[in-house]
Amino acid sequence: MPQFDPTSFPSQLFWLVVTFVILYVLISRFAIPRIGDVMEQRQKMMDDDLDRAAQLKAEAETAVQTYEKALADARAKAHEVMKAATDEMSRKAEERNREVAGRLAQQIADGEARIGKARDEALASVREVATGAAQAIAVKLADVSLADDKVDAAVGAALQESR
């Protein structure tokens, strides 16, 4: 094999060095800069994407904060509306209770007055009935006729003792 012939070693070494030098120059002048440019572009794209992602994240956080603030405001307003409605209902209920209590107090006073009048009428009739009954009993039992003023005085005394 000619590669193993020691007389051809110097020319082989020469062409090996020339080939490596040319290959080195080509790679260092053309391939490495292109690879470097591609890597820089990739890095720049990744950095841009990361910056855009950070910006979108900040916007999303701002949107969430705005949403939470709006939600808290809505809850506070709903609470105020509920409190106002509750206060209004309580006030109306209290007014109705006062009106009903006033009517009931008037009805109670009217009823007590009617009861007092009926009691007085009943007591007056009881006295008349008791006087008449006492005279009738005296006539039936003892066959005695008593004077109206004496029977009336006796019934009055008995009524005074019972009160």
Side-chain angles (χ1 to χ4, degrees), residues 38-54:
V38 169
M39 290 182 71
E40 285 178 17
Q41 287 177 350
R42 280 187 137 180
Q43 186 64 39
K44 184 179 177 187
M45 280 180 33
M46 285 190 295
D47 290 342
D48 289 346
D49 288 346
L50 288 174
D51 291 343
R52 179 72 179 147

Side-chain angles (χ1 to χ4, degrees), residues 81-93:
V81 168
M82 288 294 293
K83 186 176 184 331
T86 302
D87 292 345
E88 180 67 21
M89 287 190 291
S90 296
R91 185 185 58 77
K92 286 182 179 180

Side-chain angles (χ1 to χ4, degrees), residues 94-114:
E94 191 173 316
E95 286 178 10
R96 279 183 279 166
N97 286 343
R98 273 191 249 122
E99 290 175 8
V100 168
R103 283 191 305 222
L104 287 176
Q106 183 62 37
Q107 288 177 354
I108 288 171
D110 291 345
E112 286 176 350
R114 285 193 307 261

Side-chain angles (χ1 to χ4, degrees), residues 99-142:
E99 290 175 8
V100 168
R103 283 191 305 222
L104 287 176
Q106 183 62 37
Q107 288 177 354
I108 288 171
D110 291 345
E112 286 176 350
R114 285 193 307 261
I115 289 171
K117 184 179 176 185
R119 185 189 67 217
D120 292 342
E121 289 175 0
L123 287 176
S125 349
V126 166
R127 188 172 185 144
E128 292 173 11
V129 170
T131 304
Q135 285 179 341
I137 290 172
V139 169
K140 287 271 185 186
L141 289 178

